[in-house]
Amino acid sequence: MSDTIVTLRDVTADTVVAVCDLETNEDQKHFVAPNALSIAQAHFSPIARFQAVFAGETPVGFLMWRPQDDGSVCYLWRFMIDRHHQNRGYGRAALTLLFASARSDGFKRMLTSYVVGDAGPHAFYIKLGFRDTGESRPNGERLMDLAL
Ligand SMILES: CC(C)(COP(=O)(O)OP(=O)(O)OC[C@H]1O[C@@H](n2cnc3c(N)ncnc32)[C@H](O)[C@@H]1OP(=O)(O)O)[C@@H](O)C(=O)NCCC(=O)NCCS
């Protein structure tokens, strides 16, 4: 676990290339879209919000989420920590910040979904407090749920 301070920051003209250069390990690539694609998709989904994960002054990851339904539920759509920066507690720190922010915005629950497979994020999400709902999205991803 690193002592480096983790923050969530808006992606800017100065950081967008570095954020798009972040990538997962090869065997993790089918679990999350490239950040450039996520940022492109966000421009066609006006309710989506995305931020970079910084460790100190270094961009190390990316997350994207959107409100869902009546405004009490939000959905973590994309989340990744760059392969060079994994297993240092940055993923946990980033989601802990996101939970606090969503809570203060009035959200009561956060959903996410994951692709089933070896080296997938399911066990990570369980450690962060998500629980399986038993449901799947139309694309086959399994849904998880967290009370904020
Ligand atoms: C999943 C991911 C975000 C985790 O980020 P990370 O910064 O490496 O995670 P952390 O270091 O904060 O780990 C927190 C805890 O989860 C555990 N953990 C992390 N990844 C794990 C995995 N794939 N399987 C099981 N446990 C995992 C860590 O060992 C740690 O456990 P501990 O608290 O008992 O020590 C990162 O591996 C990743 O980007 N994966 C590829 C993309 C992906 O799957 N995204 C999610 C789907 S949208």
Side-chain angles (χ1 to χ4, degrees):
M1 172 81 181
S2 163
D3 289 336
T4 311
I5 304 286
V6 172
T7 51
L8 302 182
R9 302 186 189 179
D10 289 341
V11 177
T12 67
D14 288 337
T15 61
V16 66
V17 172
V19 171
C20 290
D21 282 346
L22 299 173
E23 59 179 10
T24 61
N25 288 307
E26 207 54 45
D27 65 349
Q28 296 172 322
K29 285 205 190 304
H30 58 295
F31 296 119
V32 67
N35 295 340
L37 177 58
S38 295
I39 292 170
Q41 286 178 292
H43 284 86
F44 299 97
S45 179
I47 57 172
R49 290 200 50 197
F50 59 88
Q51 289 186 297
V53 180
F54 272 71
E57 294 305 310
T58 305
V60 299
F62 176 84
L63 55 77
M64 185 158 95
W65 62 278
R66 63 187 180 217
Q68 181 129 325
D69 302 334
D70 61 356
S72 68
V73 181
C74 55
Y75 174 68
L76 176 61
W77 187 5
R78 300 279 157 72
F79 181 49
M80 62 82 69
I81 298 292
D82 179 85
R83 61 199 178 101
H84 299 296
H85 300 281
Q86 293 181 8
N87 298 311
R88 297 183 193 174
Y90 297 155
R92 180 193 292 278
L95 284 197
T96 302
L97 290 170
L98 181 67
F99 298 160
S101 162
R103 206 177 288 126
S104 76
D105 285 346
F107 291 101
K108 306 294 183 210
R109 288 169 59 213
M110 184 175 291
L111 301 177
T112 195
S113 60
Y114 68 95
V115 176
V116 178
D118 291 342
H122 180 255
F124 167 80
Y125 283 134
I126 291 285
K127 284 197 169 179
L128 268 289
F130 283 92
R131 294 289 169 254
D132 293 304
T133 69
E135 299 163 286
S136 298
R137 299 187 65 220
N139 64 7
E141 292 184 11
R142 306 272 174 87
L143 272 168
M144 302 183 85
D145 177 277
L146 174 97
L148 291 167

